[in-house]
Amino acid sequence: MNEEEIKKLFETLDTNHNGVIERDELISGLRLLHLPTDPAMVDKFFDSADDNKDGVINEAEFLQFMNERKKDLRKLFDVMDKNHHGVLTEEEITELVHSAGLKTDKKQIESLILRADTDGNHEIDFHEFCQFLSLLPFTNVDEVLSVWQKAVALDIGEEFAIPPDHADRNMETISKYLLAGGIAGMISRSATAPLDRLKIILQTSNTNQGIVKSFTNIYHQEGVKGYWRGNLANVIKIFPESGIRFLSFESYKRMLFPESDPLRLGPFEKLLAGGLAGATSQISIYPMEVVRARLAVAGPGVYSGIGDVITQTIKKEGPMTFYKGLLPSLAGIFPYAAIDFAIYDHLKGMYIQRKKGKVSSGENTGISIWVLLGCGAISSSIGQLGNLSF
């Protein structure tokens, strides 16, 4: 990186334009670049760059730090460039990764290269190497590869993804996504609960009262709370359902398309993996789905709560009753998952593009839990509406 590029990077990180980089600005900048934001890594950066120890980094300190980093990166690059051709090839990176004891396969090696390869020639020259890794403090090749691998895992600009190595996840990041998914599911299920209750009543009623009459009857017989009867069971299952669906989605992508980069799958691949993930989560939480449906269709006084439904059902019909109707439910989860994943990806992609355009104006960077929550709530609600026939 030359001095002009370094100054431009400083201006990008200095989002409030006060002439210094503060800790929060550095973290936001790392997030924007999809780089790890481990507290220890941020502390190490400030220890190295903040010469006067005033808690912020001015332009002169940043320039000096980046020039020193360039020298260190040159040494590391030369060590990694085994054949001394001036570029890091796929073969060299594969050998280095295996030597470091990291668990990777061919598609993950390709993801490592794509993450830093800005000119698309499937090789990494020193300029690309510096652009990608100059903000991250490390001292040896193993640390470079470890950080590199984490950076690939955190690249959420193309896909909502879990790190490829389960043992090396950033659990704070994963927890954020799962929490956002769970809360979004609770909001969307609660928002569509009256329609869901109406659907179940219409499906199970022997009379032909029509939609409007059936909807108003709920209010006349049970009041406003009747529209949310059985919703507690629906909400309780959200977090395990979201977690299983999220984890299995990533697993199916890698199992079904081992030769493809999981961060750059096409619409068909995503929808297939999403549908299978939805089916997997549906099987695992289906007993609670049966409990919810029975609470929703029963009149006042039939059941005292979730525990009473479970007890009465086992006594009268046996435990296998909790899996009645599973096959039609699995058929319904595919269109729901397709709509949900497609809309979620589209909304998140729109936000990321809009946010990237505002970085230079000094607005906050990164993708927050509230953005994920909003995208998830909207996509899940539309998916529910599109799946009411099941």
Side-chain angles (χ1 to χ4, degrees):
M1 296 178 71
N2 57 39
E3 187 168 326
E4 183 179 346
E5 289 175 321
I6 295 173
K7 287 183 177 181
K8 186 176 180 180
L9 178 59
F10 180 85
E11 291 172 0
T12 300
L13 295 174
D14 179 20
T15 53
N16 61 13
H17 303 295
N18 63 350
V20 295
I21 300 173
E22 300 171 3
R23 186 183 180 89
D24 289 344
E25 290 177 317
L26 176 63
I27 292 173
S28 295
L30 291 172
R31 284 175 179 161
L32 175 70
L33 297 169
H34 302 157
L35 295 173
T37 58
D38 300 354
M41 200 171 293
V42 175
D43 289 341
K44 192 172 182 180
F45 180 90
F46 270 82
D47 287 342
S48 302
D50 183 16
D51 288 338
N52 59 15
K53 306 303 177 186
D54 59 354
V56 295
I57 300 169
N58 59 41
E59 185 175 352
E61 290 173 327
F62 188 73
L63 282 168
Q64 181 178 344
F65 170 79
M66 293 295 286
N67 286 324
E68 291 298 321
R69 289 294 298 138
K70 187 175 180 179
K71 295 176 184 177
D72 294 336
L73 288 172
R74 179 81 256 181
K75 295 175 183 177
L76 286 170
F77 184 86
D78 290 342
V79 170
M80 297 172 71
D81 181 18
K82 300 288 187 180
N83 59 19
H84 305 295
H85 288 169
V87 293
L88 299 180
T89 63
E90 181 177 334
E91 292 75 18
E92 287 175 320
I93 294 172
T94 301
E95 182 182 345
L96 288 165
V97 167
H98 290 163
S99 298
L102 297 175
K103 299 177 181 179
T104 54
D105 53 27
K106 180 177 176 61
K107 67 177 182 298
Q108 290 167 4
I109 295 294
E110 290 175 353
S111 294
L112 289 176
I113 295 172
L114 286 170
R115 185 63 182 83
D117 179 24
T118 57
D119 59 14
N121 65 356
H122 212 61
E123 296 176 335
I124 300 167
D125 59 31
F126 180 62
H127 185 260
E128 292 170 327
F129 189 74
C130 282
Q131 282 186 316
F132 178 49
L133 296 169
S134 58
L135 289 176
L136 300 176
F138 39 71
T139 57
N140 57 57
V141 173
D142 288 354
E143 288 181 352
V144 171
L145 294 172
S146 179
V147 169
W148 199 342
Q149 191 179 41
K150 287 181 180 179
V152 170
L154 292 173
D155 188 352
I156 60 175
E158 292 290 332
E159 181 56 69
F160 178 34
I162 302 180
D165 184 356
H166 286 200
D168 195 30
R169 291 184 191 148
N170 183 325
M171 289 310 298
E172 181 181 353
T173 301
I174 302 307
S175 298
K176 179 179 76 169
Y177 294 153
L178 292 180
L179 178 63
I183 296 175
M186 291 170 63
I187 293 172
S188 64
R189 295 299 175 89
S190 297
T192 58
L195 293 175
D196 199 38
R197 174 105 200 266
L198 175 64
K199 177 191 74 171
I200 293 174
I201 290 175
L202 289 172
Q203 288 173 335
T204 58
S205 176
N206 293 323
T207 62
N208 188 20
Q209 294 180 331
I211 295 175
V212 176
K213 184 66 174 175
S214 298
F215 193 79
T216 55
N217 278 348
I218 297 174
Y219 176 76
H220 293 314
Q221 293 173 11
E222 304 176 50
V224 175
K225 292 198 298 185
Y227 292 115
W228 281 270
R229 184 174 179 81
N231 190 53
L232 178 60
N234 210 9
V235 167
I236 288 175
K237 69 183 178 66
I238 288 298
F239 277 99
E241 180 183 24
S242 297
I244 293 168
R245 185 164 168 258
F246 177 65
L247 294 170
S248 58
F249 176 59
E250 293 301 318
S251 298
Y252 280 126
K253 285 197 300 183
R254 291 176 170 80
M255 185 190 309
L256 296 172
F257 311 106
E259 299 302 318
S260 302
D261 180 0
L263 300 180
R264 291 170 174 79
L265 293 179
F268 171 76
E269 288 90 345
K270 286 191 227 180
L271 295 182
L272 179 59
L276 290 172
T280 301
S281 66
Q282 185 76 348
I283 291 171
S284 63
I285 55 87
Y286 192 73
M288 189 57 71
E289 192 73 27
V290 174
V291 171
R292 176 191 67 84
R294 294 199 170 203
L295 279 170
V297 76
V302 177
Y303 298 114
S304 61
I306 295 173
D308 191 34
V309 177
I310 296 172
T311 301
Q312 287 195 43
T313 301
I314 292 176
K315 283 183 179 179
K316 295 177 181 179
E317 304 173 58
M320 291 307 296
T321 303
F322 289 111
Y323 283 94
K324 281 185 177 179
L326 177 60
L327 289 180
S329 182
L330 291 178
I333 200 66
F334 269 84
Y336 163 71
I339 295 170
D340 189 6
F341 273 103
I343 294 176
Y344 176 85
D345 270 355
H346 181 68
L347 292 174
K348 182 167 63 67
M350 287 175 59
Y351 171 84
I352 290 171
Q353 291 303 317
R354 177 175 174 272
K355 202 69 173 174
K356 284 181 178 178
K358 291 189 173 184
V359 174
S360 60
S361 64
E363 297 188 26
N364 189 28
T365 57
I367 184 166
S368 72
I369 188 173
W370 300 110
V371 174
L372 297 174
L373 174 58
C375 294
I378 294 170
S379 64
S380 187
S381 294
I382 296 174
Q384 286 288 326
L385 291 172
N387 195 40
L388 284 175
S389 59
F390 290 89

